[in-house]
C-alpha cells in the first residue's frame, strides 16, 4: 500500500461522512467484550481504559467527519495511568486482540481509504495484470483489503500474542510538545509488554515485514528482492508513526473541533469493554 496509502490520507477525511459511524454501530452491535478485572499483582488491580465515545456524541457534518477519523485513532490508543501508583492497563485477551484486528480492518475510514487507493492505483495502472474496468478496480480493492486484514492480524493478534506485547499505542498526554512528539516516534521501536514494562517493538517490524512479504502473493507486479521489500516496509512503518503522532495529540485536536474524546472526564475507568457501541 506504501505511497498510495499516504496519498489516501487527505481523500479519506473528505469522504468519511458518506459512510458514517452509524453503519459501524449497526453492523457490529454485539462485539464488545464483557467487563472483567484481572490481578496483575497481589495488591493492585488492573485498570480498564475508558469507553470509546459513541457516534451519538458527535454533532454536525464536520464533526461527523472528524469524529470518524477520531474513532479510528482512539480505538488503538491507551493512556498510562499516572494517578494510581503501580496500576497497569488490563491485558487484552486473545479475543480482544482479534476483535481489535477486525474492527481496525473494517472501520469505515479504513475501507474508504482502501477504495480511494484502488481508484488511484487503477488511474495510474499500477499492477497492470489486474487490468482495467470494474473487474480491475475490484481486484485492486480486494488486494488492498487483503493487505489491510493481514497487516492488522499480524500486528494486533499474532505477534503481540507471541511476544506478549500490547498492540496499543500508549499516549503520554503530558509534558512538552517536543517530548510528546519524540514519545510518539519512539513507539515504532519501543512497545509495552502485557505486564506494563517495555521491550523492543517486534510487533511493528515483524508484523509489517510479514504483511509486505505476503502481499507479493496477490500483487504479481510487485518488484521482488530485499531493496523493494525494505522500501515498502519503511513506507508502512512511516505511516504507522504518523498515526501515532496523531494519536498522541488527538485530545488537543478534539478540543479544537469541540469534540468529545476518550479520557476527557475521568483519569481512568474500570467499565466494560474497550469500545462503546
Amino acid at each position: 500500500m506504501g505511497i498510495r496509502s499516504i496519498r489516501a490520507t487527505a481523500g479519506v477525511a473528505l469522504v468519511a461522512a458518506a459512510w458514517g459511524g452509524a453503519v459501524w454501530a449497526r453492523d457490529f452491535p454485539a462485539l464488545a467484550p464483557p467487563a472483567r478485572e484481572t490481578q496483575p499483582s497481589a495488591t493492585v488491580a488492573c485498570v480498564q481504559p475508558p469507553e470509546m465515545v459513541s457516534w451519538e456524541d458527535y454533532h454536525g457534518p464536520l464533526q461527523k467527519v472528524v469524529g470518524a477519523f477520531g474513532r479510528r485513532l482512539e480505538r488503538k490508543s491507551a493512556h498510562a495511568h499516572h494517578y494510581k501508583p503501580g496500576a497497569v492497563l488490563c491485558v487484552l485477551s486473545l479475543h480482544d486482540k482479534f476483535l481489535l484486528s477486525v474492527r481496525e480492518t473494517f472501520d469505515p475510514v479504513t475501507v474508504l481509504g482502501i477504495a480511494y487507493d484502488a481508484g488511484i492505483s487503477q488511474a495510474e495502472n499500477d499492477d497492470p495484470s489486474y487490468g482495467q474496468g470494474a473487474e480491475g478496480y475490484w481486484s485492486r480493492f480486494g488486494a488492498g483489503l487483503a493487505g489491510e486484514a493481514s497487516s492488522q492480524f499480524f500486528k494486533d493478534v499474532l505477534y503481540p500474542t507471541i511476544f506478549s506485547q500490547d498492540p496499543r499505542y500508549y499516549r503520554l498526554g503530558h509534558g512538552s510538545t517536543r517530548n510528546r512528539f519524540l514519545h510518539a516516534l519512539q513507539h515504532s521501536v519501543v512497545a509495552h509488554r502485557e505486564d506494563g514494562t517495555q521491550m523492543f517493538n517486534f510487533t511493528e517490524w515483524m508484523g509489517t515485514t510479514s504483511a509486505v512479504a505476503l502481499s507479493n502473493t496477490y500483487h504479481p507486479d510487485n518488484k521482488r528482492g530485499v531493496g523493494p521489500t525494505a522500501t515498502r516496509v519503511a513506507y508502512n512503518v512511516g505511516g504507522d508513526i504518523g498515526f501515532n503522532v496523531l494519536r498522541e495529540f488527538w485530545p488537543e485536536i478534539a478540543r479544537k473541533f469541540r469534540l468529545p474524546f476518550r479520557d476527557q472526564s475521568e483519569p481512568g475507568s474500570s467499565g466494560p469493554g474497550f469500545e462503546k457501541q
Side-chain angles (χ1 to χ4, degrees):
M1 293 164 68
I3 298 174
R4 295 195 299 274
S5 293
I6 297 174
R7 293 196 194 101
T9 302
V12 169
L14 294 176
V15 295
W19 193 6
V23 174
W24 178 251
R26 184 174 63 251
D27 290 346
F28 297 91
L31 291 178
R36 65 184 183 284
E37 287 269 342
T38 60
Q39 296 283 340
S41 70
T43 58
V44 181
C46 70
V47 180
Q48 290 281 7
E51 294 178 337
M52 291 275 289
V53 176
S54 70
W55 285 106
E56 289 78 9
D57 294 322
Y58 294 99
H59 304 284
L62 180 60
Q63 289 182 324
K64 294 290 186 184
V65 173
V66 180
F69 191 69
R71 281 174 64 89
R72 175 72 169 82
L73 296 175
E74 290 283 62
R75 182 174 293 111
K76 209 169 178 178
S77 300
H79 184 75
H81 299 283
H82 301 283
Y83 71 95
K84 188 176 182 181
V88 297
L89 287 172
C90 294
V91 172
L92 296 180
S93 67
L94 182 60
H95 172 270
D96 292 335
K97 292 172 184 175
F98 182 75
L99 180 62
L100 176 63
S101 173
V102 170
R103 284 185 165 164
E104 286 284 282
T105 300
F106 294 101
D107 183 274
V109 173
T110 302
V111 175
L112 286 169
I114 294 170
Y116 181 87
D117 281 354
I120 295 297
S121 177
Q122 178 136 333
E124 296 180 350
N125 200 32
D126 293 341
D127 292 308
S129 62
Y130 288 150
Q132 291 292 314
E135 183 178 353
Y137 175 82
W138 287 113
S139 294
R140 290 178 172 87
F141 178 85
L145 186 60
E148 186 68 31
S150 62
S151 178
Q152 297 301 339
F153 175 76
F154 287 133
K155 293 192 287 187
D156 292 342
V157 182
L158 182 62
Y159 289 113
T161 300
I162 292 174
F163 293 104
S164 297
Q165 288 187 340
D166 192 329
R168 295 170 291 186
Y169 169 76
Y170 277 52
R171 179 183 288 142
L172 184 60
H174 67 278
S176 67
T177 299
R178 177 178 179 275
N179 286 343
R180 293 176 65 190
F181 179 76
L182 292 176
H183 173 80
L185 298 184
Q186 175 183 286
H187 184 70
S188 64
V189 292
V190 178
H192 284 77
R193 296 179 188 268
E194 292 181 341
D195 63 5
T197 60
Q198 295 182 338
M199 68 183 298
F200 179 76
N201 198 339
F202 293 105
T203 291
E204 176 66 38
W205 290 94
M206 295 184 70
T208 302
T209 301
S210 297
V212 167
L214 182 62
S215 72
N216 288 334
T217 64
Y218 46 84
H219 284 284
D221 300 307
N222 274 357
K223 293 181 179 179
R224 267 56 172 180
V226 175
T229 298
T231 298
R232 290 195 292 274
V233 169
Y235 275 123
N236 280 276
V237 171
D240 288 344
I241 291 173
F243 270 104
N244 288 336
V245 172
L246 287 172
R247 288 185 177 103
E248 178 62 39
F249 293 101
W250 176 245
E252 286 78 10
I253 297 171
R255 290 189 187 98
K256 179 69 174 179
F257 285 92
R258 297 183 179 180
L259 295 171
F261 60 92
R262 210 174 195 175
D263 292 336
Q264 69 175 349
S265 57
E266 297 182 7
S269 171
S270 56
F274 65 86
E275 179 165 357
K276 182 179 179 180
Q277 294 301 318

